[in-house]
Amino acid sequence: MQVAAAVALTAGWVVVFFGGAALPVVPTHEELGVVLTVAVSGVAVLGASFLLAWGAETAEKDVPRAFAIAVLAVLAVAPEYAVDALYAWNAGAGGATTAACGELTAATIENGESQLARACHDANLAVANMTGANRILIGIGWAGIAVFTVWRAAKTRDAAVRDREGWLSDAVTLDRAIATEVAFLFLATAWAFFVPLGGGIDALDTLLLVGLYVTYIGIIIRGDVDAEEDHVGVPNYFQQWSLPWRPMVVLALFGYSGAMIFTAVEPFAHGLETIGVENGIPEFFMIQWIAPLASESPELIVVVVLVNKARSTAGFNALISSKLNQWTLLIGTLSVVFSLAYGQYGVLPFDAKQAAEIWITAAQSYFALAILVNFEISVREALTIFVLFISQVLLEFVIIRDIVALPLTSYELLLVYAVAYVLIGTALFAVRREALREMLGLAADAGRTALGREPVHPEYAD
């Protein structure tokens, strides 16, 4: 019945997208069609997210949990890849090389005064959408789920939540098995600081970042299957099925939910963009923040489902895995898509503003990792992440809209926040240097285990 209800939520979008049915449009109220599209596609994303979560939980019976969650993360953020790939493709098809875009003024590119200018603008939008998605995942995803987990613990009795003395000190403890994800995310973050120095996203970025993710998958797929964790509801029901029916239902849940999310999120995000632009919100702001927020919604819904089952550890694993694949695969594949559209190898260009966007995104990731390095996140730390994130977004909106005169440009604001993130993060790493050493030791042991070697840090095993 629960599966049927979730599928029913997607039925409207199936009829519209696959059946060719047209949504009603009132001639004098054209925006009604956009609103209906947002509503139907949004409900479909909701239903598909439940199916995706159930598929991932069921898969834990036969594959390592980390691998099942990695698959879940890729499917949940697939629409983000599609949106970014579209902008990167348009940039390559329009010939937006580093040299060509460098000859145009910022105003010409912003206004899209020519085909080349529009292509250069699309290249900037690809970076903006990518950085916005990554910062939302931490600023809203990590922070919000941490607070939600602590709040729900009163009912779920989640064993991962620790009651501690002090103001907003209650914390969510994380499984030390995520040391591998945290270590790889740390490496990807360190490299991201150097990406703007090359003037664009090039083959070296692709090889290194995609290589990091492939290595990560190679390690976790060799992990042990954790069949002892108790599941309830739909996953428990499907896990009782015998072979080969259980894997088949997992593939069906992954396939159907993935198709729904992939086809429905783009119209959902585009509809929100259209509504925002029609109400006076700048296009660039909508594409950097509203569209990624929409495309990240399946992931956030999945994690909420897991938290409601007192599976906050799996929820945070999903969020961290999503951040890792976006911070490696998403950035790395942009250059590939750009080159395919360009017809030969090319570097995806971006302007100084987008360089600053990459730096602040890397700095936020660095700061967030400094918080997670001791395998817990308190309510106070989560709120700090959120406040830093939302204050920067709001201040930038104020600058863009000239609501209040500030002594900073948008570019300078990004650099100020990036420096603040790095300074605070470095201070935290210094204080938690023992935790950092433990995390790296655990990650190294996971790699050795995957290669069939004995771990060398048994003191961290417990």
Side-chain angles (χ1 to χ4, degrees):
M1 291 297 293
Q2 292 179 50
V3 173
V7 171
L9 293 176
T10 69
W13 182 249
V14 171
V15 172
V16 171
F17 185 83
F18 296 98
L23 291 170
V25 177
V26 180
T28 57
H29 296 82
E30 295 183 0
E31 68 276 8
L32 181 60
V34 177
V35 173
L36 289 175
T37 298
V38 169
V40 173
S41 58
V43 169
V45 168
L46 176 64
S49 298
F50 279 99
L51 296 175
L52 182 58
W54 293 331
E57 290 186 278
T58 303
E60 292 178 22
K61 178 82 170 181
D62 302 296
V63 299
R65 182 177 67 181
F67 181 70
I69 288 176
V71 174
L72 177 152
V74 169
L75 291 175
V77 299
E80 181 61 36
Y81 282 75
V83 173
D84 254 342
L86 175 62
Y87 289 124
W89 181 274
N90 291 341
T97 63
T98 303
C101 295
E103 296 178 356
L104 302 178
T105 65
T108 299
I109 294 175
E110 181 68 25
N111 297 326
E113 296 177 5
S114 65
Q115 181 178 352
L116 175 60
R118 184 62 197 177
C120 295
H121 185 57
D122 283 339
N124 286 333
L125 291 179
V127 176
N129 191 264
M130 177 270 295
T131 55
N134 274 277
R135 300 221 292 279
I136 284 172
L137 196 55
I138 289 179
I140 294 179
W142 291 19
I145 293 302
V147 174
F148 179 70
T149 301
V150 173
W151 176 69
R152 285 289 297 162
K155 292 184 177 180
T156 62
R157 304 299 178 188
D158 194 333
V161 176
R162 291 177 52 197
D163 293 328
R164 303 191 310 186
E165 294 184 1
W167 182 67
L168 300 178
S169 294
D170 290 354
V172 181
T173 57
L174 307 180
D175 188 346
R176 276 169 164 68
I178 68 167
T180 303
E181 285 83 352
V182 174
F184 274 91
L185 185 52
F186 186 84
L187 292 175
T189 297
W191 179 256
F193 282 104
F194 296 97
V195 170
L197 302 181
I201 300 175
D202 57 21
L204 180 60
D205 299 319
T206 297
L207 289 174
L208 194 142
L209 294 173
V210 174
L212 277 176
Y213 193 76
V214 171
T215 303
Y216 159 70
I217 292 296
I219 290 175
I220 65 172
I221 201 172
R222 295 172 186 267
D224 296 328
V225 175
D226 184 8
E228 297 181 358
E229 178 147 9
D230 293 329
H231 291 272
V232 296
V234 174
N236 178 64
Y237 170 72
F238 283 134
Q239 284 184 347
Q240 308 310 312
W241 289 22
S242 60
L243 298 175
W245 304 110
R246 186 172 62 245
M248 289 176 64
V249 77
V250 169
L251 292 175
L253 289 171
F254 275 162
Y256 184 78
S257 62
M260 290 298 100
I261 290 171
F262 190 79
T263 58
V265 167
E266 193 280 330
F268 180 53
H270 182 70
L272 290 177
E273 290 175 31
T274 301
I275 293 172
V277 171
E278 289 179 351
N279 286 276
I281 301 177
E283 176 195 21
F284 195 92
F285 190 88
M286 293 295 298
I287 289 174
Q288 184 173 29
W289 299 118
I290 304 303
L293 183 60
S295 61
E296 296 291 347
S297 60
E299 178 71 14
L300 299 179
I301 293 170
V302 166
V303 175
V304 168
V305 171
L306 294 174
V307 170
N308 270 321
K309 293 182 176 182
R311 299 198 66 212
S312 58
T313 296
F316 266 98
N317 281 13
L319 288 175
I320 294 171
S321 185
S322 291
K323 172 65 180 179
L324 177 59
N325 77 56
Q326 286 190 178
W327 208 213
T328 53
L329 282 183
L330 182 55
I331 300 177
T333 53
L334 289 180
S335 176
V336 176
V337 174
F338 175 86
S339 297
L340 289 173
Y342 186 52
Q344 58 182 328
Y345 169 70
V347 177
L348 178 70
F350 49 78
D351 59 18
K353 171 68 161 49
Q354 301 317 309
E357 295 282 2
I358 293 176
W359 277 323
I360 188 177
T361 306
Q364 184 208 41
S365 179
Y366 177 77
F367 167 66
L369 288 173
I371 287 177
L372 290 189
V373 73
N374 62 350
F375 300 103
E376 69 175 26
I377 177 171
S378 69
V379 173
R380 182 167 59 240
E381 290 169 335
L383 291 177
T384 300
I385 292 175
F386 175 75
V387 168
L388 284 172
F389 165 75
I390 202 66
S391 62
Q392 180 269 313
V393 174
L394 293 177
L395 285 174
E396 187 168 11
F397 183 77
V398 167
I399 292 173
I400 292 173
R401 296 292 294 168
D402 290 325
I403 297 175
V404 178
L406 295 177
L408 292 173
T409 64
S410 179
Y411 175 80
E412 292 169 339
L413 177 72
L414 294 174
L415 294 183
V416 168
Y417 269 83
V419 171
Y421 276 128
V422 170
L423 291 177
I424 300 173
T426 300
L428 281 174
F429 275 123
V431 172
R432 300 173 176 178
R433 53 188 176 275
E434 289 300 325
L436 176 61
R437 187 177 296 112
E438 177 184 354
M439 183 272 293
L440 294 176
L442 287 169
D445 280 349
R448 292 186 183 92
T449 301
L451 295 174
R453 301 174 182 174
E454 291 295 323
V456 298
H457 298 284
E459 68 272 20
Y460 297 144
D462 296 330

